[in-house]
Amino acid sequence: MERPLTKNIHPGQEPLSLAEYEKAGGYRSLRKALAMPPQDIVALVKASNLRGRGGAGFPTGMKWGLVPQVGSVPQPRYFIVNADEMEPGAFKDRLLLEGDPNQIIEGIIVSAYAVQTEKAFIFLRREYFLAEKRLKKAIAEAYEKGYLGAGILGSGFNLDLRIHSSAGRYICGEETALINALEGKRAVPRAKPPFPLACGLWGRPTLVNNPETVANIPHIVNNGAEWFKALSACADGGTKIYGVSGRVNKPGAWELPMGTTIEELIEDHGGGMQKGYALRGIIPGGASTDFLLPKHLDVPMDFDSVAKAGSRMGTGTMTVLDDRTCPVGFVHNLEVFFSRESCGWCTPCREGLPWIEKILHAIENGRGESGDLSLLEQHCRLLGPGNTFCALAPGAVEPLQSALKYFREDFERHIREKKCTWK
């Protein structure tokens, strides 16, 4: 099985130097891309069925096609890689950033050429110190070799690439909040429209992609759309870096065909549940997704299949809930994070998430009341899609609303017995 994204990554070892990366086929796609019309690269990515790996799963080529044509708006335009990976349970981008920074940079250059953008940023999570160190080294080497800067490889294409280390807020995963932070403003979401593709960083057209998304671009250019689609086990093209954390024997991350089932991820790659623990639930795509149950083990981990099962694939990095962990405490822990990370820009999120957290804290510590579950369900509705300024609060209530659905007896027992029976 081909693993184009991770073939150069060897845990515990330094990433390939630029010379080693070139020897392994690196920067071949850049030379090939520079000989192509930019619109042909966009068409190739559309044909590949690559969907964004940041969580939403929007078709990448379609998104690129919405960037205004050169000449229709003045330069500069901007390309941003959103490497502010703060979703609890997610660590896939870190693997790529630390393990093969040259691949990320090559993907950025080819992507920027495809949409004719000459200014690019990597918006990096502040805590990713090792990734920053390795990216800086790889960027410096790329400038020295002529892969970045003016007239790349003798062409008329220029690209300046810089790293912006984030101050560290979960809200920066939302692209307009990220753009505000990059401009030196408070990291809060912007009203849309206008969308960043038309009016983003400093009022210019701005394209934002995820690191795993751009890492796929060199391989699509080198090998073609049909090759990329053939890597997948579903209609979405390519491989996916999946992760499993929790009470499994071998927690980690693996590059596998898009559409690999939940059961294969947990049993074959995660080594199954640890001795004495049984699977009770799964959060499939990071903390802001609905629970799935053991009955969903045969669900393929692709965007459409997980949605049909009642959740979202999100980042594809799942967390398992075992039968010896309190689901009320599990969800309370998540809501502590979300309430703290609310940017405070809109009232439902600013006021609602701390209220949810306080109710769950009371239930978990034996102070729950009979009407608390109705209050929590009301909050799940009021903080749902369309009622808040961005998707932070709707994502925050997804694990709660599904926990109330699937593990309601545990919540009721906490309230009835005035204690957490799991402690």
Side-chain angles (χ1 to χ4, degrees):
M1 182 179 66
E2 292 187 80
R3 294 185 173 89
L5 298 180
T6 57
K7 64 180 181 181
N8 295 330
I9 298 177
H10 305 286
Q13 298 182 21
E14 289 288 317
L16 299 183
S17 66
L18 178 58
E20 292 169 333
Y21 181 70
E22 290 173 319
K23 188 175 180 180
Y27 283 105
R28 183 163 56 91
S29 76
L30 176 58
R31 291 180 169 84
K32 186 174 181 179
L34 291 174
M36 299 169 62
Q39 62 269 23
D40 286 1
I41 302 174
V42 175
L44 181 64
V45 174
K46 282 183 181 178
S48 73
N49 291 347
L50 171 65
R51 294 177 67 169
R53 304 302 200 234
F58 193 83
T60 303
M62 183 183 297
K63 187 174 184 178
W64 285 13
L66 297 173
V67 177
Q69 294 294 312
V70 174
S72 62
V73 293
Q75 289 279 20
R77 294 116 61 85
Y78 297 98
F79 181 63
I80 304 173
V81 173
N82 185 354
D84 193 66
E85 187 177 41
M86 285 193 65
E87 179 77 6
F91 44 87
K92 65 182 183 65
D93 294 334
R94 179 181 179 181
L95 175 66
L96 293 171
L97 294 162
E98 291 180 357
D100 198 358
N102 286 296
Q103 177 180 231
I104 298 290
I105 294 166
E106 184 178 8
I108 291 171
I109 302 169
V110 175
S111 302
Y113 172 74
V115 296
Q116 290 294 282
T117 297
E118 297 188 350
K119 302 282 185 180
F121 294 91
I122 300 174
F123 191 96
L124 186 66
R125 177 177 173 175
R126 183 68 185 95
E127 293 82 1
Y128 281 5
F129 301 113
L130 182 58
E132 181 178 15
K133 176 183 175 182
R134 291 177 173 178
L135 283 166
K136 283 183 175 178
K137 179 183 177 183
I139 289 171
E141 291 177 336
Y143 269 108
E144 290 175 8
K145 198 65 183 286
Y147 295 138
L148 285 168
I152 293 174
L153 296 180
S155 70
F157 177 60
N158 312 316
L159 182 64
D160 179 45
L161 173 61
R162 303 184 185 186
I163 296 175
H164 175 90
S165 291
S166 164
R169 289 304 302 271
Y170 177 70
I171 191 62
C172 289
E174 200 281 336
E175 61 182 12
T176 61
L178 177 155
I179 288 169
N180 270 339
L182 196 51
E183 291 181 350
K185 300 173 183 175
R186 180 181 170 187
V188 296
R190 296 180 179 180
K192 294 181 284 189
F195 293 91
L197 290 169
C199 182
L201 188 64
W202 294 299
R204 301 295 190 183
T206 304
L207 175 64
V208 182
N209 279 152
N210 174 264
E212 187 183 357
T213 306
V214 300
N216 281 285
I217 302 304
H219 306 292
I220 294 172
V221 171
N222 279 330
N223 300 293
E226 295 305 315
W227 167 87
F228 189 74
K229 288 190 287 188
L231 295 175
S232 173
C234 63
D236 302 334
T239 58
K240 177 79 185 72
I241 298 180
Y242 294 109
V244 179
S245 58
R247 296 284 188 178
V248 293
N249 285 300
K250 296 187 295 182
W254 312 272
E255 182 183 3
L256 299 166
M258 178 68 86
T260 298
T261 65
I262 294 174
E263 183 173 26
E264 181 180 337
L265 285 166
I266 293 175
E267 296 297 331
D268 296 349
H269 302 285
M273 299 299 293
Q274 293 177 12
K275 186 177 181 180
Y277 294 88
L279 178 66
R280 194 171 183 205
I282 308 138
I283 292 181
S288 59
T289 56
D290 290 271
F291 277 98
L292 296 178
L293 301 179
K295 68 179 182 179
H296 296 116
L297 284 171
D298 62 346
V299 172
M301 280 287 282
D302 63 73
F303 295 101
D304 295 337
S305 297
V306 177
K308 288 177 183 177
S311 186
R312 293 184 301 110
M313 191 180 81
T315 61
T317 47
M318 70 175 65
T319 303
V320 300
L321 170 68
D322 62 81
D323 65 339
R324 292 168 63 181
T325 296
C326 173
V328 178
F330 187 105
V331 174
H332 174 244
N333 185 53
L334 296 180
E335 299 307 330
V336 169
F337 172 83
F338 287 124
S339 65
R340 184 179 68 233
E341 290 299 325
S342 171
C343 73
W345 191 244
C346 69
T347 302
C349 186
R350 181 183 65 244
E351 305 299 330
L353 289 179
W355 197 357
I356 285 173
E357 188 276 322
K358 289 177 182 178
I359 294 172
L360 288 170
H361 183 269
I363 294 173
E364 177 69 359
N365 288 277
R367 292 180 284 104
E369 299 178 358
S370 59
D372 283 349
L373 300 190
S374 296
L375 272 176
L376 290 174
E377 290 172 331
Q378 182 183 41
H379 275 73
C380 289
R381 293 192 300 271
L382 295 177
L383 272 69
N387 295 325
T388 58
F389 203 79
C390 78
L392 190 155
V397 298
E398 285 189 18
L400 173 60
Q401 68 188 11
S402 55
L404 290 169
K405 175 182 176 181
Y406 293 131
F407 313 123
R408 193 176 190 87
E409 289 183 2
D410 294 275
F411 287 86
E412 292 174 343
R413 190 182 308 116
H414 276 66
I415 295 171
R416 184 174 60 250
E417 299 183 8
K418 296 295 182 182
K419 64 179 180 179
C420 175
T421 57
W422 296 82
K423 293 179 180 178

